[in-house]
Amino acid sequence: MEREMVDIESQTNHQEVPNNVFHKRKTPVTLKFEDVVYKIKIENVGILEKKKKASERKVILNGVSGIVQPGEILAMLGPSGSGKTTLLTALGGRLGGRLKGKITYNGDPFSNAMKRNTGFVTQDDVLHPHLTVTETLVFTALLRLPNTVAKEEKVALAKAVMNQLGLVKCKDSIVGGPGLRGVSGGERKRVSVGQELLINPSLLFLDEPTSGLDSTTALRLVSTLFDLARGGRTIVMTIHQPSSRLYYMFTKVLLLSEGNTVYFGKGSEALDYFSGVGFSPALAMNPADFLLDLANGIYTNELNEDVVVDKKQLIQAYKSCNADSQLRQMVQVTNSNSSSRVENTAGFGKWPTNWWQQFTVLLRRDLKERKHEAFASFNIIQVVLTSFIVGLLWYKSDTAHMQDQLGLLFFLSSFWAFYPLYRAIFVFPDERVMLEKERSSGMYRLSSYFMAKMTVDLPMELVLPTVSILITYWMAGLKATAAAFIFMLLTILTLVLVSQGIGLALGACVQNTKVATTFASVIGLTFMITSGFFVQNVPKFIAWLKYISFIYYANELVIFSQYREGETYKCGTGKCLIYEYPGIKGLGFVNNRESQLRASLILLAMLFFYRFIAYVALMRIGVTKKSKSS
Ligand SMILES: Nc1ncnc2c1ncn2[C@@H]1O[C@H](COP(=O)(O)OP(=O)(O)OP(=O)(O)O)[C@@H](O)[C@H]1O
């Protein structure tokens, strides 16, 4: 697979890549939003009172309206917490909950076709840290571009994006992330933008794309966006503190203060507007700084003194100005007609690619991303060392010391019940943000993602226990027949998969590794102590717990692998039947084919059951949010 990617890349090295492929435009989109109101519920808990106070509704967006046309860049400015990200998320069709007002795209509400024509760059870069810049963009192209585009063309487009965003220099460097040195912050941001440019979106949303960038890099990035807008795209972005050079590249500016519009209109006319309502800049200053000060309720007068301004006065001034009523009239004109409707013109079906293509690309991507984790030497050393120590402790054990041997069998069941559980817990919480981002843009089906995740870790999940059992089994002198060894190995491998399933389900349901780890300890310990090794005379009302304990069934099968009906052990001066040994008899096992089959089938059912739970829990992540917007 790796070779395949290298081949494709080398082919495209000789291929003519258009310098600016993004000047070709699909359907231009006019974005209108009218009286957008968003409230969230806040549960108030007094510090001193134990009782919860009644929940309150906090207004995040308070009747915001606007219009952005193809070829325009709208920059949303405002102090921190003024609602910029919330509005951007709402306009990008990703905000659920109590969203009121009307948001339309060429007159129509947000649709699946629109979703695939929309690029959304989040504030934090959500990227796979171990992939190189090229791999990141090529995998995105393979997943997001439709089947109608040939594979070679997809790779060529990824290359074109790298050219356009100035990423060629670092194309073979890994992206990096927390604790892993990779490309610079600015390059990482450009990779995120590149992922969205690949689909040549009609509408592009960017949440603070310039934060953390030096002014030159920020200017370069916004220049690229300016070029894109000129190609007919509609661009909406939030920005904290643009330099004046950046400010004048924006076609329109929306200034927010505590969720209210303080100004909406051309960036170049903002200062005139504020002069008209009594606030003209007394000193030569960056217009963006002046606007942000006002939105924060501060005005610097001729004496360079900061005067407090009533924000309500600014909000009211905007509401009663001509610009606002003109804007409302423009927004209210419906322009829904079949020629402007965003259709699936890009050749996307319900999904850009078919199930198998999604699965294979995701598998290749996961293999590259997770090989460092799955094949980490410390995992291998940990398991091999533990196996040797266990082998030494039980070196050449025999049935003359039945309790010792039972202890070994129980230890093996318990160790392989816990080890994969704790590893699997992290899989989905670590991936949540990525899954959310990719599913929100309709990149792939959940089932192909899920199957790729199940498959990618499988080899290592099975190789490690096999190596461990190989070491311990022979050192500890367990039954030296191929049948007994294979039975034991298959039992342990099934146990590993069940345990992994429980970890995946916990991680997927809770989505918080700390909480999931706590649950895992409680569940794991409960299943371990109810499996019969520690206590056998359990009160009836709680004795049923062992029947849902996967460790109980694994322990049963492991014991079956070693001892046959009628076999004996040395007791006192004579011999006793092994299945009469108190430690085994108390477990209540019947050693016959039916009970072996029953235990095996229950373990297999658990293997699927816990994965099913994990799948259902993941279904809520990244689906297009249903809001109450009218
Ligand atoms: N789910 C939530 N729970 C509680 N408060 C929220 C939630 N979502 C948004 N808020 C609040 O809504 C307000 C607006 O948040 P938002 O992130 O949109 O602001 P912003 O202007 O983008 O801020 P920044 O520039 O700091 O990113 C903030 O006060 C924030 O605390």
Side-chain angles (χ1 to χ4, degrees), residues 34-87:
E34 190 184 345
D35 279 327
V36 175
V37 175
Y38 184 67
K39 295 178 185 172
I40 53 166
K41 213 175 180 180
I42 304 174
E43 300 287 347
N44 271 335
V45 184
I47 298 174
L48 298 175
E49 314 97 288
K50 285 189 180 148
K51 261 189 172 173
K52 264 187 184 176
K53 283 183 188 171
S55 63
E56 278 175 18
R57 292 213 170 274
K58 181 179 172 188
V59 181
I60 308 292
L61 295 172
N62 193 10
V64 184
S65 302
I67 177 167
V68 203
Q69 278 162 336
E72 293 184 341
I73 303 183
L74 168 68
M76 297 198 229
L77 302 179
S80 182
S82 57
K84 303 180 296 291
T85 303
T86 310
L87 181 59

Coordinates of all heavy atoms in Angstrom, one line a residue, residues 34-87:
E34 N -30.6 35.7 9.0 CA -31.5 36.8 9.4 C -32.0 36.5 10.9 O -32.5 35.4 11.2 CB -32.8 36.7 8.5 CG -33.7 37.8 8.6 CD -34.9 37.6 7.7 OE1 -34.9 36.7 6.8 OE2 -35.9 38.3 8.0
D35 N -31.8 37.4 11.7 CA -32.2 37.3 13.1 C -31.8 36.0 13.8 O -32.6 35.4 14.4 CB -33.8 37.5 13.2 CG -34.2 38.9 13.1 OD1 -33.4 39.8 13.6 OD2 -35.2 39.2 12.5
V36 N -30.6 35.7 13.7 CA -30.1 34.5 14.3 C -30.0 34.7 15.8 O -29.3 35.6 16.3 CB -28.7 34.1 13.7 CG1 -28.2 32.9 14.4 CG2 -28.8 33.8 12.2
V37 N -30.7 33.9 16.5 CA -30.7 33.9 18.0 C -30.3 32.6 18.5 O -30.7 31.5 18.0 CB -32.1 34.3 18.5 CG1 -32.1 34.2 20.0 CG2 -32.6 35.6 18.0
Y38 N -29.3 32.6 19.4 CA -28.9 31.3 20.0 C -28.8 31.5 21.5 O -28.1 32.4 22.0 CB -27.5 30.9 19.4 CG -27.1 29.5 19.9 CD1 -27.7 28.4 19.5 CD2 -25.9 29.4 20.7 CE1 -27.3 27.1 19.9 CE2 -25.5 28.2 21.1 CZ -26.2 27.0 20.7 OH -25.7 25.8 21.2
K39 N -29.4 30.5 22.2 CA -29.4 30.6 23.7 C -28.9 29.3 24.2 O -29.2 28.2 23.6 CB -30.8 30.9 24.2 CG -31.4 32.2 23.8 CD -32.7 32.3 24.4 CE -33.4 33.6 23.9 NZ -34.8 33.8 24.2
I40 N -28.2 29.3 25.3 CA -27.8 28.0 25.9 C -28.4 28.0 27.3 O -28.5 29.0 28.0 CB -26.3 27.7 25.9 CG1 -25.6 28.9 26.5 CG2 -25.8 27.4 24.5 CD1 -24.1 28.5 26.8
K41 N -28.6 26.8 27.8 CA -29.1 26.6 29.1 C -27.9 26.5 30.1 O -26.9 25.8 29.8 CB -29.8 25.3 29.2 CG -31.0 25.2 30.1 CD -31.7 23.9 29.9 CE -32.9 23.7 30.7 NZ -33.5 22.4 30.5
I42 N -28.0 27.3 31.1 CA -26.9 27.2 32.1 C -27.5 26.7 33.4 O -28.4 27.3 34.0 CB -26.2 28.6 32.4 CG1 -25.7 29.1 31.0 CG2 -25.1 28.5 33.3 CD1 -25.2 30.5 31.2
E43 N -26.9 25.6 33.9 CA -27.3 25.1 35.2 C -26.5 25.9 36.3 O -25.3 25.8 36.4 CB -27.0 23.6 35.4 CG -27.6 22.7 34.3 CD -29.1 22.5 34.5 OE1 -29.6 22.8 35.6 OE2 -29.7 22.0 33.6
N44 N -27.2 26.6 37.1 CA -26.6 27.4 38.2 C -26.5 26.6 39.4 O -27.5 26.1 40.0 CB -27.3 28.7 38.4 CG -26.9 29.8 37.5 OD1 -25.8 29.7 37.1 ND2 -27.8 30.7 37.3
V45 N -25.3 26.4 40.0 CA -25.2 25.8 41.3 C -24.5 26.7 42.2 O -23.4 27.2 41.9 CB -24.4 24.4 41.2 CG1 -24.4 23.8 42.5 CG2 -24.9 23.5 40.1
G46 N -25.2 27.2 43.2 CA -24.6 28.1 44.2 C -23.4 27.4 44.9 O -23.4 26.2 45.1
I47 N -22.4 28.2 45.2 CA -21.2 27.6 45.9 C -21.6 27.1 47.3 O -21.2 26.1 47.7 CB -20.1 28.7 45.9 CG1 -19.7 29.0 44.5 CG2 -18.9 28.1 46.7 CD1 -18.7 30.1 44.4
L48 N -22.4 28.0 47.9 CA -22.7 27.6 49.3 C -23.9 26.7 49.5 O -24.0 25.9 50.4 CB -22.9 28.9 50.1 CG -21.6 29.8 50.2 CD1 -21.9 31.1 50.9 CD2 -20.5 29.0 50.8
E49 N -24.9 26.9 48.5 CA -26.1 26.0 48.6 C -25.8 24.7 48.0 O -25.1 24.6 47.0 CB -27.3 26.7 48.0 CG -27.5 28.1 48.2 CD -27.0 29.0 47.1 OE1 -25.7 29.1 47.0 OE2 -27.8 29.5 46.4
K50 N -26.4 23.6 48.6 CA -26.2 22.3 47.9 C -27.3 22.2 46.8 O -27.1 21.5 45.8 CB -26.4 21.2 49.0 CG -25.2 21.1 49.9 CD -25.3 19.9 50.7 CE -24.0 19.9 51.6 NZ -24.2 19.3 52.9
K51 N -28.4 22.9 47.0 CA -29.5 22.7 46.0 C -29.1 23.5 44.7 O -28.5 24.5 44.7 CB -30.7 23.4 46.6 CG -31.7 22.4 47.2 CD -32.9 23.1 47.5 CE -34.1 22.3 47.9 NZ -35.1 23.2 48.3
K52 N -29.6 22.9 43.6 CA -29.4 23.5 42.3 C -30.4 24.7 42.2 O -31.6 24.5 42.5 CB -29.7 22.5 41.2 CG -28.5 21.9 40.6 CD -28.9 21.1 39.4 CE -27.8 20.3 38.9 NZ -28.2 19.4 37.8
K53 N -29.9 25.8 41.7 CA -30.9 26.9 41.4 C -31.5 26.6 40.1 O -31.0 25.7 39.3 CB -30.1 28.2 41.3 CG -29.7 28.8 42.6 CD -29.1 30.1 42.3 CE -28.5 30.8 43.5 NZ -27.7 31.9 43.1
A54 N -32.6 27.2 39.7 CA -33.3 27.0 38.5 C -32.3 27.3 37.3 O -31.4 28.2 37.5 CB -34.5 27.9 38.4
S55 N -32.4 26.5 36.2 CA -31.4 26.8 35.1 C -31.8 28.1 34.4 O -33.0 28.4 34.3 CB -31.4 25.6 34.2 OG -32.7 25.5 33.6
E56 N -30.8 28.8 33.9 CA -31.1 30.0 33.2 C -30.7 29.9 31.7 O -29.9 29.0 31.3 CB -30.1 31.1 33.7 CG -30.6 31.7 35.0 CD -29.5 32.7 35.5 OE1 -28.6 33.1 34.7 OE2 -29.5 33.0 36.7
R57 N -31.2 30.7 30.9 CA -30.9 30.7 29.5 C -29.9 31.9 29.2 O -30.3 33.0 29.5 CB -32.1 30.9 28.6 CG -32.9 29.6 28.6 CD -33.6 29.4 27.3 NE -34.2 28.1 27.4 CZ -33.6 26.9 27.1 NH1 -32.4 27.0 26.7 NH2 -34.2 25.8 27.2
K58 N -28.8 31.6 28.6 CA -27.8 32.7 28.3 C -27.9 33.0 26.8 O -27.9 32.0 26.0 CB -26.4 32.2 28.7 CG -25.4 33.3 28.5 CD -24.0 32.8 28.9 CE -22.9 33.8 28.5 NZ -21.6 33.3 28.7
V59 N -28.1 34.2 26.5 CA -28.2 34.6 25.1 C -26.7 34.7 24.5 O -26.0 35.6 25.0 CB -28.9 35.9 24.9 CG1 -29.0 36.3 23.4 CG2 -30.3 35.8 25.5
I60 N -26.4 33.9 23.5 CA -25.1 34.0 22.9 C -25.1 34.8 21.6 O -24.2 35.6 21.4 CB -24.6 32.5 22.6 CG1 -24.7 31.6 23.8 CG2 -23.2 32.5 22.0 CD1 -23.8 31.9 24.9
L61 N -26.2 34.6 20.9 CA -26.4 35.5 19.7 C -27.7 36.1 19.7 O -28.7 35.4 20.0 CB -26.3 34.6 18.4 CG -24.9 34.0 18.1 CD1 -25.0 33.0 17.0 CD2 -23.8 35.0 17.8
N62 N -27.8 37.4 19.5 CA -29.1 38.1 19.7 C -29.5 38.8 18.5 O -29.3 40.0 18.3 CB -28.9 39.1 20.9 CG -30.2 39.6 21.4 OD1 -31.2 39.1 21.0 ND2 -30.1 40.6 22.2
G63 N -30.2 38.1 17.6 CA -30.7 38.7 16.4 C -29.7 39.2 15.4 O -29.8 40.3 14.9
V64 N -28.8 38.4 15.0 CA -27.7 38.8 14.1 C -28.1 38.5 12.6 O -28.6 37.4 12.3 CB -26.4 38.1 14.4 CG1 -25.3 38.6 13.5 CG2 -26.0 38.2 15.8
S65 N -28.0 39.5 11.7 CA -28.3 39.3 10.3 C -27.2 39.7 9.4 O -26.3 40.5 9.8 CB -29.5 40.2 10.0 OG -30.6 39.9 10.8
G66 N -27.2 39.2 8.2 CA -26.1 39.6 7.3 C -26.3 38.9 6.0 O -27.1 37.9 5.8
I67 N -25.5 39.3 5.0 CA -25.5 38.6 3.7 C -24.1 38.6 3.1 O -23.3 39.6 3.3 CB -26.5 39.4 2.7 CG1 -26.5 38.8 1.3 CG2 -26.2 40.9 2.7 CD1 -27.6 39.2 0.5
V68 N -23.7 37.5 2.6 CA -22.3 37.4 2.0 C -22.5 36.8 0.6 O -23.1 35.8 0.4 CB -21.4 36.5 2.8 CG1 -19.9 36.9 2.5 CG2 -21.6 36.6 4.3
Q69 N -22.0 37.5 -0.4 CA -22.1 37.0 -1.8 C -20.9 36.4 -2.3 O -19.8 36.6 -1.8 CB -22.6 38.2 -2.6 CG -24.1 38.4 -2.4 CD -24.6 39.7 -2.9 OE1 -23.8 40.7 -2.9 NE2 -25.9 39.8 -3.2
P70 N -21.0 35.7 -3.4 CA -19.8 35.0 -4.0 C -18.8 36.1 -4.3 O -19.2 37.2 -4.8 CB -20.4 34.4 -5.3 CG -21.8 34.2 -5.1 CD -22.3 35.3 -4.1
G71 N -17.6 35.8 -4.1 CA -16.5 36.8 -4.3 C -16.2 37.7 -3.1 O -15.3 38.5 -3.2
E72 N -17.0 37.5 -2.0 CA -16.8 38.4 -0.9 C -16.1 37.6 0.3 O -16.3 36.4 0.4 CB -18.1 38.9 -0.4 CG -18.7 39.9 -1.4 CD -20.0 40.5 -0.9 OE1 -20.7 40.0 0.1 OE2 -20.4 41.5 -1.4
I73 N -15.4 38.4 1.1 CA -14.9 37.8 2.4 C -15.5 38.6 3.5 O -15.4 39.8 3.5 CB -13.4 37.9 2.5 CG1 -12.6 37.3 1.3 CG2 -12.9 37.4 3.8 CD1 -11.1 37.4 1.5
L74 N -16.2 37.8 4.3 CA -16.8 38.5 5.5 C -15.9 38.2 6.7 O -15.7 37.0 7.0 CB -18.2 38.0 5.8 CG -18.8 38.4 7.2 CD1 -19.1 39.9 7.3 CD2 -20.1 37.6 7.5
A75 N -15.4 39.2 7.4 CA -14.6 39.0 8.6 C -15.5 39.3 9.8 O -16.1 40.4 9.9 CB -13.4 39.8 8.6
M76 N -15.6 38.4 10.7 CA -16.3 38.6 12.0 C -15.3 39.1 13.0 O -14.4 38.3 13.4 CB -17.0 37.4 12.4 CG -18.0 36.9 11.4 SD -19.1 35.8 12.3 CE -19.1 34.4 11.2
L77 N -15.5 40.3 13.6 CA -14.6 40.8 14.6 C -15.4 40.9 15.9 O -16.6 41.0 15.9 CB -14.1 42.2 14.2 CG -13.3 42.3 12.9 CD1 -12.9 43.8 12.7 CD2 -12.1 41.5 13.0
G78 N -14.7 40.9 17.0 CA -15.4 41.1 18.3 C -14.5 40.7 19.4 O -13.6 39.9 19.2
P79 N -14.8 41.1 20.6 CA -13.9 40.7 21.7 C -14.1 39.2 22.0 O -15.1 38.6 21.4 CB -14.5 41.5 22.9 CG -15.5 42.5 22.3 CD -15.8 42.0 21.0
S80 N -13.2 38.7 22.7 CA -13.3 37.2 23.1 C -14.7 37.0 23.8 O -15.1 37.7 24.7 CB -12.2 36.9 24.0 OG -12.2 35.6 24.3
G81 N -15.4 36.0 23.4 CA -16.6 35.6 24.0 C -17.8 36.4 23.4 O -18.9 36.3 23.9
S82 N -17.6 37.1 22.3 CA -18.7 37.9 21.7 C -19.6 37.1 20.9 O -20.7 37.6 20.4 CB -18.2 39.1 21.0 OG -17.3 38.6 20.0
G83 N -19.2 35.8 20.6 CA -20.1 34.9 19.8 C -19.7 34.7 18.4 O -20.4 34.1 17.6
K84 N -18.4 35.0 18.0 CA -18.0 34.8 16.6 C -18.0 33.4 16.2 O -18.5 33.0 15.2 CB -16.5 35.4 16.5 CG -16.4 36.8 16.9 CD -15.0 37.3 16.7 CE -13.9 36.7 17.6 NZ -14.1 37.0 19.0
T85 N -17.3 32.5 17.1 CA -17.3 31.1 16.7 C -18.6 30.5 16.7 O -18.9 29.7 15.8 CB -16.4 30.4 17.8 OG1 -15.1 31.0 17.8 CG2 -16.2 28.9 17.4
T86 N -19.5 30.9 17.6 CA -20.9 30.3 17.6 C -21.6 30.7 16.3 O -22.2 29.8 15.7 CB -21.6 30.9 18.8 OG1 -20.8 30.7 20.0 CG2 -23.0 30.2 19.0
L87 N -21.5 31.9 15.9 CA -22.1 32.3 14.6 C -21.6 31.6 13.5 O -22.3 31.1 12.6 CB -22.0 33.8 14.4 CG -22.7 34.4 13.2 CD1 -24.2 34.0 13.2 CD2 -22.6 35.9 13.1

